[in-house]
Amino acid sequence: MLDGKRILLVVAGGIAAYKSLELIRRLKDRGASVPVILTPAAEAFVTPLAAGALANEPVHRDLFDLTRESEIGHIRLSREADLLVVAPATADLIAKMVNGFADDLASTALLATDKLVLIAPAMNPRMWAHPATRRNVAQLLADGIHMVGPNAGEMAERGEAGVGRMAEPDEIISAIETALSTEPALIAGPKALAGRRVIVTSGPTHEPIDPVRYLANRSSGRQGHAIAAACAAAGATVTLVSGPVTIPPPPGVTTVSVETAGEMLEAVEAALPADVAVMAAAVADWRVARAAERKLKKPADGASPMLELVENPDILATVGRHHTLRPRLVVGFAAETNDLVENAMSKLARKGADWIVANDVSPETGVMGGDANTVRILSAEGVEEWPKMAKEEVAERLVAKIAATLDQAGTT
Ligand code: C5P
């Protein structure tokens, strides 16, 4: 399964680098091409000549190699790869990855990539056990980076034993195969939604009480905006209908800014037809029946004003039950504080949605307006539970799922 794959191997400076030469050889045996980046420290352990001879192509060493930089070499290196492997991944390079440093070719290529990254750490057991490394590794895993090893055993330093030995080349190859076989379904390629039209709603709505006051909610728009951005990155033509938010409109997306649920419905209907509708906005369920044309004043008698509320149109249900222009895939959201699955399931049927992305927004989760999201995807097929992840990652996975579903259903 590695035949024809391009595995960019980053070799950092550690004694385990000698095993990376063996890794190159075995990857080549399996038909992969293996461009290699050596950090300056790695060159103290293996020579560019040896790595290049095994890889059968010159190794990459400098960030500012003028010939290659004319083609933005580091970007191309990571863009053309199917997967990046860091072996050995030293404590130092791991710390740089966590913090997004880009001060040499290896760290720059790792920051410039949107591909899968697999690290094979190797370091002294005390360095591995250090709280700083514990924190860093946890962060990389949370960022979606794959890891193999380290193993326990004797260290190169005499008399030292513990966890810190780099995984063996065969173990690294198995980890590469696992990563390549499981991930494509989770991350959509740049053309996965090419030719598709997608409408996304995002943010809260503001329902006026009078010219200066309104009813609103705590939605930040981050999840909906991330979905619009991910759809555009996957090649879709995207219309984002956004309520009032403070985050910037995503690049490559037509953004229509609205205030009220009524305006949002109008903008969504105007954007039809579409292949997919993702209704992520936290639309106010009610609006004030008659918003005052002038600012309400405190009554002289001290009485409190009464607001009469009327129900807003349900945009998701309107789209999900549209007689002529229903998109092929209609996705709704359900933010629930209790009975998550039951409430979301009933929404699925009631609103004519194909999927409901349900998330728990009970106060103890601190989710609404936050960076991360723990969601379940409900559909006629059942409930899919996703681990806690950044809203951007939820967006990417959702886009991959959308692309796979549309592809399965054919293009008609
Ligand atoms: O009923 P509830 O507000 O929990 O439903 C949430 C889902 O319905 C979300 O997808 C939201 O965008 C959509 N919705 C809508 N119009 C409304 C209310 C909710 O599109 N008026």
Side-chain angles (χ1 to χ4, degrees):
M1 75 162 292
L2 293 179
D3 195 21
K5 295 286 185 213
R6 200 169 163 80
I7 312 290
L8 175 58
L9 175 65
V10 177
V11 182
I15 185 70
Y18 77 92
K19 290 200 231 173
S20 307
L21 296 180
E22 182 62 17
L23 178 62
I24 299 172
R25 200 178 63 75
R26 295 199 191 184
L27 286 169
K28 294 287 294 178
D29 284 349
R30 284 166 170 76
S33 62
V34 190
V36 178
I37 295 177
L38 290 184
T39 66
E43 292 191 26
F45 297 93
V46 293
T47 67
L49 201 59
L54 288 164
N56 203 18
E57 56 181 289
V59 302
H60 305 270
R61 302 159 65 190
D62 296 320
L63 182 54
F64 299 111
D65 174 326
L66 283 184
T67 1
R68 293 202 185 104
E69 274 322 291
S70 63
E71 310 162 48
I72 325 191
H74 57 278
I75 305 278
R76 270 192 50 181
L77 266 177
S78 41
R79 183 166 300 160
E80 288 172 358
D82 293 297
L83 178 109
L84 278 67
V85 178
V86 188
T90 56
D92 178 63
L93 186 51
I94 287 173
K96 278 170 138 179
M97 289 171 73
V98 169
N99 289 291
F101 285 2
D103 61 353
D104 58 15
L105 180 56
S107 53
T108 306
L110 285 161
L111 190 62
T113 194
D114 56 358
K115 299 293 167 55
L116 298 172
V117 178
L118 171 72
I119 59 169
M123 66 194 75
N124 174 280
R126 283 177 217 179
M127 291 168 82
W128 178 250
H130 194 283
T133 308
R134 309 280 79 239
R135 273 198 308 275
N136 288 343
V137 168
Q139 183 60 53
L140 284 189
L141 294 177
D143 290 346
I145 280 176
H146 295 240
M147 182 165 80
V148 54
N151 297 339
E154 290 274 315
M155 293 290 118
E157 301 98 319
R158 276 175 42 153
E160 286 259 13
V163 176
R165 280 172 65 95
M166 187 170 90
E168 297 304 318
D170 279 344
E171 294 175 281
I172 298 177
I173 287 176
S174 304
I176 292 172
E177 286 175 340
T178 307
L180 286 174
S181 64
T182 52
E183 288 290 324
L186 299 181
I187 296 176
K191 296 208 165 66
L193 289 180
R196 312 286 192 191
R197 286 171 55 91
V198 181
I199 304 173
V200 181
T201 65
S202 183
T205 62
H206 286 181
E207 308 296 334
I209 296 170
D210 66 20
V212 297
R213 302 183 179 96
Y214 54 81
L215 298 177
N217 59 65
R218 293 184 194 281
S219 167
S220 66
R222 285 198 48 181
Q223 186 63 81
H225 278 52
I227 291 167
C231 288
T237 304
V238 184
T239 303
L240 170 66
V241 182
S242 172
V245 293
T246 55
I247 56 174
V253 165
T254 304
T255 302
V256 183
S257 298
V258 299
E259 294 240 332
T260 64
E263 291 167 5
M264 188 172 272
L265 175 63
E266 215 172 286
V268 166
E269 288 189 309
L272 288 169
D275 299 286
V276 184
V278 183
M279 308 281 94
V283 184
D285 289 321
W286 302 281
R287 68 181 182 278
V288 178
R290 282 166 301 278
E293 276 172 23
R294 295 181 172 193
K295 186 179 168 196
L296 295 177
K297 296 277 180 224
K298 285 182 196 155
D301 62 3
S304 305
M306 295 293 283
L307 291 179
E308 189 196 336
L309 300 180
V310 291
E311 205 167 328
N312 265 331
D314 192 309
I315 301 163
L316 173 59
T318 307
V319 172
R321 305 206 165 282
H322 208 288
H323 289 303
T324 49
L325 295 176
R326 185 189 189 277
R328 283 168 48 203
L329 196 59
V330 175
V331 182
F333 273 68
E336 302 290 346
T337 52
N338 51 284
D339 302 323
L340 181 70
V341 174
E342 294 74 9
N343 284 333
M345 269 297 180
S346 78
K347 224 158 270 183
L348 192 65
R350 210 169 61 236
K351 303 203 181 201
D354 298 295
W355 305 342
I356 291 282
V357 181
N359 64 346
D360 186 349
V361 290
S362 50
E364 57 276 19
T365 64
V367 152
M368 209 153 190
D371 298 339
N373 218 347
T374 311
V375 303
R376 285 162 223 225
I377 314 289
L378 290 86
S379 69
E381 273 104 66
V383 183
E384 220 178 277
E385 300 213 6
W386 289 4
K388 181 175 179 183
M389 57 184 93
K391 288 181 175 171
E392 289 72 20
E393 202 179 345
V394 171
E396 279 184 18
R397 289 195 182 206
L398 197 62
V399 168
K401 193 173 160 66
I402 289 170
T405 304
L406 292 181
D407 286 348
Q408 263 171 22
T411 46
T412 50

